[in-house]
Amino acid sequence: MNPMDTLIWLLNFPAAHGYAMVFIAGFSILGLFAMSVRGAAPGGALRAIREREGLLRPEERPRGQVSGRILRIVFRILAFVMLGSLVIGILGLTGVPVTRAYIYDNGRPTTATMDGDWVTFTTAEGVEYTLESNFFSPAVYPDRDAYIPTGEPVVVRYLASHPQAFVIDSSQTPR
């Protein structure tokens, strides 16, 4: 398995679902960053009050600090992943071929059919895939605005190790 193909496959999801990723990431980033700050851990405010009032014994080791730190680190990582997904989603919506150029250059060609926003193709291994190429971020390369007729055969290029990452080859469509 090619590591670059796997990376492109992972990046292709937010690029291919740009509209949904902008909303999902946009609404979740603030919550994830809020959960990653020190005061967001459960019991933190109560511990601060007990320390201020002198109700904690000096020999009592504070508990929950390690798990709270790990939780904050996990939320920070998730927040940055969602921030990256937001950027990739916006780029996909604006027509920047974040992953499509790589898939076009390194993908295996095969014929496919379009049925509305759905593309159906069979890989060289004989597995049939029906995947979405939505209106807002269509999986078409090199000409993103090319007219792709429904029901007509088109050429699709897909990554051999990850067929879910595909592009419709607009240079080989009927004109």
Side-chain angles (χ1 to χ4, degrees), residues 20 23 42 62 130 133-134 136 140-141 149 164 171:
F23 282 101
T130 301
S133 173
N134 65 32
F136 295 106
V140 179
Y141 189 82
Q164 300 87 358
S171 65

Side-chain angles (χ1 to χ4, degrees), residues 103-110 121 155-159 163 165-169 171-172:
I103 297 169
Y104 180 81
D105 291 339
N106 299 303
R108 287 186 184 170
T110 187
F121 62 92
V155 175
V156 170
R157 295 179 183 266
Y158 66 93
L159 295 179
F166 74 98
V167 293
I168 299 168
D169 189 352
S171 65
Q172 297 185 28

Side-chain angles (χ1 to χ4, degrees), residues 33-47:
F33 274 125
M35 289 300 294
S36 70
V37 296
R38 182 175 169 90
L46 181 61
R47 178 168 301 285

